[in-house]
C-alpha cells in the first residue's frame, strides 16, 4: 500500500462523528464557505445527508461544471463508502482505470479527490461532504482540513 493510500485509510478512521444532523451540515458548510472565501478558492461546496442535498454554496470563479464534478465525486464516495480520492487511488494502485474498470458511467461517477463520506463512530456512512474547483489533491486536503477543524471544535 502506498503512502497516499495509507494516509487516506487513516483519515477514514480519524474523521468520524458521534452524530451528524442538519444543524451540523449548516455549521460545517458555513465554516467551509467562510474558509474558502478567505482563501479566495474558486470552489463549490456540497453536503448531502442520505439522498438529500442539505448544503450547497458556489464561490466566485466556480462554474456549473464544478457542480457536475461535485455530484459525480459524491456518487463515488457514497457508492464505495470511501473518499472519492481513496477510490481512485485504489484503482490506480491495482493498475486499473476507474473510468473503464469500475463499469460505471463516467458521466455519472468520478473517482477524483474532493468528497469525503460523513461517517459515524460505528462506521455507518450517513452522507458526504465535498468541494470541486481545485486540483483533486487540493480539493481533498481542503475538505479534510475543514473536517478536522469542525470535529476539534465540537469535541
Amino acid at each position: 500500500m502506498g503512502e497516499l493510500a495509507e494516509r487516506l485509510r487513516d483519515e477514514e478512521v480519524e474523521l468520524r462523528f458521534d452524530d451528524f444532523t442538519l444543524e451540523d451540515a449548516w455549521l460545517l458548510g458555513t465554516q467551509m464557505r467562510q474558509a474558502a472565501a478567505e482563501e479566495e478558492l474558486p470552489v463549490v461546496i456540497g453536503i448531502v445527508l442520505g439522498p438529500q442535498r442539505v448544503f450547497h454554496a458556489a464561490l466566485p470563479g466556480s462554474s456549473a461544471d464544478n457542480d457536475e464534478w461535485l455530484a459525480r465525486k459524491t456518487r463515488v464516495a457514497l457508492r464505495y463508502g470511501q473518499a472519492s480520492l481513496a477510490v481512485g487511488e485504489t484503482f490506480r494502485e491495482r493498475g486499473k482505470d476507474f473510468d473503464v474498470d469500475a463499469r460505471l458511467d463516467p458521466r455519472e461517477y468520478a473517482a477524483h479527490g474532493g468528497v469525503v463520506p460523513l461517517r459515524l463512530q460505528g462506521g455507518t456512512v450517513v452522507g458526504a461532504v465535498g468541494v470541486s474547483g481545485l486540483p483533486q489533491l487540493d480539493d481533498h486536503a481542503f475538505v479534510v482540513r475543514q473536517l478536522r477543524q469542525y470535529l476539534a471544535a465540537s469535541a
Side-chain angles (χ1 to χ4, degrees):
M1 178 181 299
E3 184 181 322
L4 176 58
E6 221 172 287
R7 188 180 85 223
L8 293 166
R9 189 191 67 226
D10 291 345
E11 289 170 358
E12 186 177 308
V13 172
E14 171 195 1
L15 301 172
R16 295 186 179 210
F17 293 82
D18 291 330
D19 192 19
F20 196 89
T21 65
L22 290 171
E23 182 70 11
D24 290 306
W26 175 254
L27 294 172
L28 175 59
T30 54
Q31 170 196 300
M32 292 175 70
R33 195 221 174 272
Q34 181 176 343
E38 288 171 2
E39 296 176 43
E40 298 181 353
L41 301 178
V43 297
V44 295
I45 301 163
I47 300 176
V48 297
L49 281 178
Q52 183 181 18
R53 181 178 9 182
V54 295
F55 185 91
H56 184 271
L59 281 86
S62 66
S63 71
D65 286 343
N66 298 122
D67 289 327
E68 289 302 315
W69 272 98
L70 181 60
R72 292 167 56 213
K73 295 187 293 185
T74 299
R75 285 186 198 100
V76 164
L78 293 174
R79 182 177 187 107
Y80 287 85
Q82 294 180 295
S84 53
L85 181 61
V87 174
E89 186 64 12
T90 298
F91 275 81
R92 286 186 288 279
E93 281 197 336
R94 294 178 181 158
K96 304 287 185 182
D97 178 349
F98 178 85
D99 289 346
V100 174
D101 297 310
R103 294 187 277 163
L104 297 169
D105 186 344
R107 294 170 298 186
E108 297 291 321
Y109 294 88
H112 295 264
V115 177
V116 175
L118 294 167
R119 187 180 308 278
L120 300 181
Q121 293 296 344
T124 302
V125 173
V126 295
V129 56
V131 301
S132 181
L134 307 172
Q136 68 170 334
L137 292 175
D138 296 338
D139 274 350
H140 179 82
F142 178 80
V143 174
V144 168
R145 191 168 60 249
Q146 294 302 312
L147 284 169
R148 283 183 175 138
Q149 182 179 332
Y150 188 79
L151 284 163
S154 305

